[in-house]
Amino acid sequence: MILDSTLREGEQTPGVNFSPEDRLRIGIALDEVGVDFIEAGHPAVSDEIFEGVRLLVNQGLNANLLAHSRALKSDIDLVLKAETPWIGIFLCVSDNCLRRRFGITLEMAMERIEEAVTYAKDHGLRVRFTPEDTTRTEWENLKAVLSLVRELRVDRVSIADTTGSAHPLEFYDLVKRFVDFGIPVNVHCHNDLGLALANALMAIEAGASLVDATVNGIGERSGIVDLAQLAAVLTYHYGVRKYRLEKLYSLSRLVSEITGIGVQDNSPIVGRNAFTHKAGLHVSAVVRDPSFYEFLPAETFGRERVIYVDRFAGRDTIRFHLRRFGIEDEGVVEALLRKVKSSRRPFTPEALAEEARRMMT
Ligand code: HCA
Ligand code: CU
């Protein structure tokens, strides 16, 4: 399963603050893709976020809605008021955090967790608990907390690689230990080393059943797993067929527009060049059968295949474009190819056709 956290982790991106209407538009678009969970926001952060979460709840989406919360009664009360069926409660229990950040003992942290989880469960919420910074937390502490939350009947636990420090093989081992506890496991992988997706895949291999992602991979610092990449891997390598891949591109554009944060030209799936072919050798093959150079078919992802023209072009590149303007003339192809090859700038299909017409008159 996928949990999309664009509206929570994603909103922690510098420069990003969603209006209630933004939250609704993005929520609806996520629902169209078919993500299993939507993390709708952290209601205690601001009144407007609370309102936006309410708006999403009232929309009656298919996805399970979850709201983020500290292990505090006041945060949980706001989630109850917002009426999402799920709550995600987090607290760091590493020795480092306990001593140097909170100044409390593990026992005190466990009391807080017990109070918060019990309060949420007693009020009918389904609970995900995250020992934040899981990957840098002592196993003894994690074990104690896992036993506690299992007793409290939390519905899911999440392993957060909060600083993106994990190595995929290490992460695999940690996830396996969690899975052995018998509580359904989520993973939340940050991308500080560019390993978020690799770690998430190792987590799946180790038995995790849900992965957090955001549209365009946004989030604190370098963000987390990219939704489009995750949905594509689940589809093409794990045989998951439930996500509507053709909706991913417009979703990415929508989030870029709203956040003002673009994607790299070479980003997988949603980047400008993800389905563009340039070298003449590639184009010769692609015009016969795109799969020679496309593992992922452009159409499946709602993208158009682009045949780029510059001095790397070959005869097939020129032929391909001219044919679309109804021009088939080998003499013109040769002349145009010479022209293209002697230049350093790119040619649009229209410019090629115009040149061709000029040559023919
Ligand atoms: C945060 C940290 C978090 C929490 C993840 C979770 C992380 O609150 O911003 O609650 O499951 O990376 O640990 O995003
Ligand atoms: Cu995070």
Side-chain angles (χ1 to χ4, degrees):
M1 290 186 285
I2 297 177
L3 176 145
D4 184 277
S5 188
T6 306
L7 299 175
R8 198 282 295 170
E9 176 78 49
E11 198 175 18
Q12 290 176 219
T13 307
V16 177
N17 288 292
F18 298 126
S19 70
E21 296 71 33
D22 293 338
R23 204 173 293 277
L24 187 61
R25 281 174 75 198
I26 294 171
I28 290 171
L30 285 168
D31 213 39
E32 284 175 357
V33 168
V35 300
D36 305 273
F37 281 77
I38 295 174
E39 188 162 11
H42 192 130
V45 170
S46 91
D47 291 348
E48 213 189 42
I49 293 179
F50 171 84
E51 252 178 70
V53 174
R54 279 292 309 154
L55 210 55
L56 265 186
V57 169
N58 288 335
Q59 185 66 22
L61 302 173
N62 289 318
N64 295 293
L65 290 186
L66 178 145
H68 206 222
S69 168
R70 288 171 295 180
L72 283 180
K73 186 171 174 297
S74 53
D75 273 30
I76 301 168
D77 280 334
L78 277 175
V79 174
L80 286 167
K81 217 168 128 196
E83 293 187 287
T84 57
W86 281 80
I87 188 170
I89 298 174
F90 65 100
L91 185 68
C92 184
V93 295
S94 68
D95 283 348
N96 192 27
C97 275
L98 294 173
R99 281 200 205 116
R100 295 180 46 238
R101 200 173 156 196
F102 308 138
I104 59 173
T105 62
L106 179 63
E107 289 64 37
M108 287 157 86
M110 300 218 337
E111 268 169 41
R112 276 191 204 172
I113 294 167
E114 176 162 2
E115 268 174 40
V117 170
T118 306
Y119 185 72
K121 293 253 19 152
D122 284 353
H123 286 80
L125 288 166
R126 305 197 71 187
V127 178
R128 174 192 77 190
F129 177 75
T130 310
E132 190 190 355
D133 205 2
T134 321
T135 46
R136 297 190 304 172
T137 298
E138 294 72 14
W139 175 244
E140 286 308 306
N141 299 11
L142 292 174
K143 213 164 58 177
V145 168
L146 279 176
S147 305
L148 170 68
V149 297
R150 184 173 55 190
E151 224 171 275
L152 300 174
R153 301 186 174 282
V154 296
D155 300 277
R156 308 194 69 90
V157 285
S158 190
I159 303 176
D161 186 24
T162 306
T163 62
S165 65
H167 182 283
L169 290 175
E170 254 171 47
F171 198 60
Y172 177 93
D173 288 337
L174 180 63
V175 174
K176 200 140 192 77
R177 286 182 177 194
F178 266 66
V179 169
D180 289 343
F181 255 86
I183 315 170
V185 172
N186 291 23
V187 289
H188 179 90
C189 303
H190 273 267
N191 206 31
D192 299 71
L193 280 170
L195 291 175
L197 184 58
N199 282 326
L201 295 187
M202 290 309 268
I204 293 170
E205 295 295 334
S209 51
L210 188 153
V211 175
D212 288 5
T214 57
V215 178
N216 301 334
I218 60 176
E220 291 270 358
R221 307 183 309 282
S222 310
I224 64 168
V225 171
D226 175 276
L227 174 66
Q229 294 172 26
L230 176 63
V233 174
L234 291 179
T235 304
Y236 282 87
H237 284 301
Y238 289 88
V240 177
R241 291 281 174 261
K242 61 182 165 174
Y243 303 116
R244 297 192 56 189
L245 305 176
E246 74 280 9
K247 301 275 184 189
L248 289 168
Y249 183 55
S250 53
L251 173 62
S252 162
R253 296 303 300 260
L254 175 71
V255 170
S256 285
E257 254 168 53
I258 290 176
T259 60
I261 297 168
V263 300
Q264 295 287 332
D265 284 356
N266 64 345
S267 275
I269 297 151
V270 298
R272 176 185 156 118
N273 294 341
F275 299 96
T276 296
H277 304 279
K278 165 165 154 166
L281 280 177
H282 289 223
V283 171
S284 289
V286 164
V287 295
R288 284 177 186 85
D289 177 352
S291 73
F292 281 120
Y293 282 98
E294 270 178 31
F295 170 61
L296 306 171
E299 304 77 20
T300 303
F301 291 89
R303 297 293 311 267
E304 252 176 68
R305 180 168 304 109
V306 175
I307 305 295
Y308 187 81
V309 187
D310 70 0
R311 67 186 184 188
F312 276 76
R315 284 180 187 80
D316 282 332
T317 310
I318 311 288
R319 282 190 197 111
F320 170 82
H321 283 295
L322 292 189
R323 209 167 285 150
R324 294 166 83 195
F325 288 94
I327 303 168
E328 295 202 32
D329 182 321
E330 283 305 302
V332 172
V333 169
E334 291 303 322
L336 263 182
L337 187 64
R338 270 198 304 278
K339 176 157 184 124
V340 166
K341 285 214 157 279
S342 65
S343 172
R344 219 187 280 142
R345 61 181 180 84
F347 290 71
T348 64
E350 292 72 26
L352 279 184
E354 203 179 301
E355 278 288 336
R357 286 196 196 101
R358 204 169 29 234
M359 287 171 177
M360 290 190 307
T361 51

